[in-house]
Amino acid sequence: MKYFILLICFLFPFGLAYLIKEFDISFYVITAIILVFTIFIIGYLNNNNEHTQFSLKSFFFKTKKKN
């Protein structure tokens, strides 16, 4: 799954650029696609957080880490 996420993150901008160029999609659809993709990636990072490298709580609320 990790390689799938990396591949999707690499190919997403190219796919989005293709959609914008070839199809007449509105700004709202583009925004919705980006938001859904972002939610998908954040959900994956939160669920597969083995070494606590990414924490959504510490991203939004700057707290000091306890050592």
Side-chain angles (χ1 to χ4, degrees):
M1 184 71 177
K2 178 174 58 172
Y3 298 111
F4 177 71
I5 295 296
L6 289 172
L7 183 68
I8 292 294
C9 286
F10 178 72
L11 295 177
F12 179 72
F14 300 108
L16 190 60
Y18 174 77
L19 287 175
I20 292 170
K21 183 179 179 186
E22 294 295 322
F23 301 102
D24 189 25
I25 57 178
S26 70
F27 176 74
Y28 299 112
V29 174
I30 295 168
T31 305
I33 291 171
I34 292 171
L35 284 175
V36 167
F37 179 75
T38 304
I39 290 170
F40 174 70
I41 296 300
I42 288 175
Y44 173 78
L45 290 174
N46 277 333
N47 289 336
N48 298 317
N49 194 0
E50 295 176 9
H51 304 290
T52 63
Q53 295 175 356
F54 178 82
S55 173
L56 195 59
K57 181 181 174 185
S58 68
F59 177 75
F60 285 118
F61 305 108
K62 303 295 182 191
T63 58
K64 294 181 181 179
K65 290 185 178 182
K66 295 180 183 177
N67 290 332

